[in-house]
Amino acid sequence: MPPRRAVLLAVALLSACAAAGTPVPATAPAQAQPAEPGGVFGTYLAGRFAQSETDTRTAADNLLDALRREPDQAELLNRAFAAALLDGRPDALRLARRLPDNQAAALLLVGSEAVAGRWDRAEQRVRALPRQGPSQILQPLLLAWVQQGKGQTDAAVATLRPLAEGGRLRGIHALHLALIADVAGRPREAERAIRTALAETPEPSLRLLQLSAGILARSGREAEALRLMEALGRGLGDFAIAAGTDQARRAVIAQRGVVSAVEGIAEAHLALAAALRQQGAGEGALILARLSLRLRPAFTPALLLIAEAYGEERHPGTAHAVLEQVPAADPLARVAALRRAALLDRMDRVPDAEAAFRAIAAEVPNAPQPLARLGDLLRARNRFADAIAAYDGALERVGTPTAAEWPLLYARGIAHERAGAWPRAEADFKQALELSPEQPYVMNYLAYTWVEQGKDLPAARRMLERAVELRPNDGNIVDSLGWALFKMGDLPGAIRWLERAVELEPRNSVINDHLGDAYWAAGREREARFQWTRALGLEPEPADLVKITAKLRDGLPASATPTAQRAD
């Protein structure tokens, strides 16, 4: 889906829900506000603010309360519905019946009819959906699933087949064609369609791989299904823990992803939610994920998406509570456990997070992910020796590292360097580059340290020039190149790149300090003092604070001033 189109679809859905940001019309509760601070208008504003902060519980509490006191306000009705839907409240269905022109309400009512088995009424609602916004994509998918719910598999296939064979969104239509055929017990037809879906999706999601593997296994292609899961199990990503062993892979493919038309409708909502989320339309994705979850309670992929949204919107506690709803027997339960542990860390419950990672590591003795995440937690808190031990454990579980494990060596290298064990750090960085050459962050860390040590400067310069080519808008990498040129005496080049780095990272104390040094060495003392003053106000590390203060008083020491000549 083109990014612009996905965002426009999200905007259509959100405007239909009257989400936060719409101006208050003349008939809004403002006209009826009481004098007391706790009146309906204050409650309304509190709900609006909570909506803007993605605090769905507070938003729903306040907006539903305000609506009870002002039940005929159209603006308030739309906002209360959106808040109730986003927070998973049963009130949403009651309010949806009062909103005939609201797309999200219409989709909720379609699902309600389907859950009740009223398929004729569900079909009427689907056919009445507007051919714009998210309904434009969902309408054929929902129609096909409603037809399947009525036992009309041939009609459902006829609805989707032309779109799967030649439509602009062939991949998603082929996926649902495959799922309908699978539910209907047509394995060969399901296999053909799922192959089209995979071919149309160069970077398949976890969910597509799960569904595809199950369909292939049921059509007699179990070895191929296991290979799909085996590929997913490689590397250090969260999802790899769900497919890291043969037993885990078989558990995934044994679980039928969709078993009914209602679950198919939930899958359609989730597919569009994931697409919108990839394009940054967080609230639109959250609405669709909630619609999916209402049809299929404890649906783990929807819970994972909802928790991601809350976590990114600075609500780790809410995200953690969502993930606690994941069933313990679900193939993705350990993925959820990893994410819960990471959220505990974000909530500053460090001992709990550490214990959670260690518990997962004990439960899954061959998985490197929990120990790798534990190492990251400990390294972020300057517990470098403990972090190194965790990374060592993760690498032992990996065995012989491959290109997929370079981040683990990189992370351990940083911990070694911060612990003062540079030879070991250097060895880790070099091995990471051997496994996956031209990783810009590894090149930056290794080369910058060489520059600070005054060793291998020509090699460091070449490495940093390549890193900048790969990440031209990364201020830290650009700064490293500028600093290397400064150390080598190329002041014009140093100033050019350091000025660029400050443009990219204006609030970085180290980068501003570096530019001040370059200015001073070039005889631009007033500009140097300006940069050092800026650096001083950007919370430098204690050791840097002392150095910057001394430079402001005495200037750059002669020992720190390079010979002003261009290095070859």
Side-chain angles (χ1 to χ4, degrees):
M1 182 186 306
R4 178 174 174 78
R5 183 166 185 78
V7 172
L8 289 176
L9 290 173
V11 169
L13 182 62
L14 292 176
S15 63
C17 287
T22 305
V24 181
T27 57
Q31 291 188 344
Q33 59 178 304
E36 67 273 16
V40 64
F41 191 57
T43 306
Y44 169 77
L45 290 179
R48 284 282 304 272
F49 179 75
Q51 264 186 333
S52 70
E53 293 291 304
T54 322
D55 183 354
T56 57
R57 178 179 300 176
T58 302
D61 285 344
N62 282 281
L63 291 170
L64 288 170
D65 181 39
L67 183 63
R68 277 191 289 272
R69 290 187 273 171
E70 291 285 346
D72 297 324
Q73 293 289 346
E75 163 76 5
L76 187 50
L77 174 60
N78 275 279
R79 288 188 180 279
F81 165 71
L85 179 59
L86 286 169
D87 201 49
R89 304 285 183 98
D91 307 78
L93 183 59
R94 171 177 56 83
L95 299 179
R97 301 187 187 282
R98 298 175 57 190
L99 294 167
D101 299 323
N102 186 303
Q103 284 195 41
L107 293 173
L108 178 59
L109 292 172
V110 168
S112 176
E113 304 289 10
V115 169
R118 296 188 291 264
W119 293 108
D120 288 335
R121 292 174 64 176
E123 182 173 355
Q124 291 173 6
R125 290 189 181 278
V126 168
R127 292 188 182 277
L129 289 171
R131 300 301 179 90
Q132 61 186 17
S135 301
Q136 185 176 359
I137 291 176
L138 285 173
Q139 199 269 350
L141 300 175
L142 300 183
L143 178 59
W145 279 113
V146 167
Q147 290 168 329
Q148 176 61 29
K150 295 171 71 175
Q152 300 171 354
T153 302
D154 289 341
V157 169
T159 295
L160 290 181
R161 179 172 286 155
L163 298 169
E165 292 177 350
R168 184 174 51 83
L169 299 173
R170 291 181 63 194
I172 190 170
H173 293 122
L175 168 62
H176 282 266
L177 178 59
L179 292 173
I180 286 172
D182 188 44
V183 168
R186 301 181 179 185
R188 292 290 174 258
E189 198 168 352
E191 180 189 350
R192 287 194 298 271
I194 205 63
R195 291 190 186 281
T196 299
L198 287 169
E200 290 293 316
T201 314
E203 297 181 4
S205 66
L206 166 73
R207 186 59 181 163
L208 176 55
L209 289 174
Q210 277 186 290
L211 295 171
S212 301
I215 288 172
L216 289 172
R218 284 186 290 279
S219 65
R221 304 289 190 269
E222 183 174 308
E224 186 178 355
L226 289 172
R227 284 195 297 272
L228 276 180
M229 289 293 96
E230 185 178 358
L232 179 64
R234 300 191 192 107
L236 299 170
D238 288 354
F239 290 123
I241 199 171
T245 65
D246 184 69
Q247 180 181 4
R249 291 189 284 271
R250 291 184 183 279
V252 171
I253 66 174
Q255 184 185 60
R256 189 180 288 269
V258 172
V259 300
S260 69
V262 170
E263 290 190 359
I265 295 173
E267 199 74 47
H269 290 322
L270 183 65
L272 184 53
L276 293 179
R277 180 165 168 71
Q278 289 175 357
Q279 304 303 331
E283 197 166 6
L286 194 55
I287 287 172
L288 285 161
R290 281 294 184 187
L291 287 170
S292 178
L293 201 59
R294 291 182 76 94
L295 294 169
R296 191 172 178 180
F299 185 24
T300 299
L303 291 170
L304 290 173
L305 190 150
I306 291 168
E308 284 178 3
Y310 282 131
E312 289 181 2
E313 293 293 338
R314 306 182 305 281
H315 297 291
T318 305
H320 188 275
V322 169
L323 290 177
E324 287 184 320
Q325 300 173 46
V326 174
D330 192 281
L332 298 180
R334 290 198 174 104
V335 175
L338 277 177
R339 296 189 177 183
R340 286 198 303 271
L343 288 164
L344 290 170
D345 180 23
R346 288 184 54 194
M347 296 158 65
D348 290 326
R349 294 171 55 184
V350 177
D352 291 338
E354 185 175 351
F357 281 128
R358 293 192 187 280
I360 301 167
E363 291 172 6
V364 197
N366 295 319
Q369 290 83 4
L371 292 178
R373 303 294 184 279
L374 176 61
D376 293 342
L377 178 154
L378 297 168
R379 176 166 57 89
R381 281 158 179 78
N382 298 329
R383 293 169 57 184
F384 301 117
D386 292 337
I388 290 166
Y391 291 136
D392 287 344
L395 282 163
E396 286 176 9
R397 295 180 174 203
V398 166
T400 302
T402 66
E405 281 80 43
W406 74 263
L408 195 49
L409 289 160
Y410 173 54
R412 190 177 69 174
I414 294 173
H416 276 310
E417 188 272 332
R418 296 297 302 276
W422 173 246
R424 292 183 178 180
E426 187 176 36
D428 277 342
F429 294 142
K430 287 181 175 179
Q431 187 179 1
L433 289 175
E434 288 173 5
L435 293 172
S436 185
E438 296 200 327
Q439 288 294 337
Y441 300 109
V442 183
M443 289 193 286
N444 176 59
Y445 207 111
L446 176 59
Y448 181 82
T449 309
W450 282 345
V451 169
E452 287 288 271
Q453 294 172 347
K455 60 179 281 190
D456 296 331
L457 292 182
R461 176 178 180 170
R462 289 192 297 272
M463 195 175 285
L464 289 169
E465 286 173 340
R466 180 57 182 152
V468 168
E469 287 178 10
L470 294 168
R471 293 290 186 276
N473 294 318
D474 189 303
N476 291 298
I477 294 177
V478 172
D479 166 71
S480 295
L481 176 57
W483 193 236
L485 296 175
F486 173 78
K487 291 284 191 176
M488 298 176 73
D490 181 359
L491 293 181
I495 290 171
R496 178 167 65 91
W497 286 108
L498 289 172
E499 287 177 339
R500 171 63 176 156
V502 167
E503 290 176 5
L504 294 167
E505 293 282 348
R507 300 195 57 78
N508 186 300
S509 177
V510 171
I511 296 174
N512 279 279
D513 181 34
H514 284 170
L515 180 56
D517 288 6
Y519 280 153
W520 185 277
R524 297 163 62 175
E525 296 182 6
R526 181 177 298 177
E527 292 166 280
R529 292 186 184 280
F530 174 79
Q531 293 302 143
W532 289 333
T533 301
R534 285 188 64 184
L536 201 62
L538 294 173
E539 300 181 359
E541 295 290 329
D544 293 334
L545 178 64
V546 173
K547 293 177 183 177
I548 296 169
T549 302
K551 285 187 287 190
L552 279 168
R553 183 183 64 245
D554 304 322
L556 187 68
S559 60
T561 305
T563 303
Q565 63 181 30
R566 182 173 294 278
D568 294 328

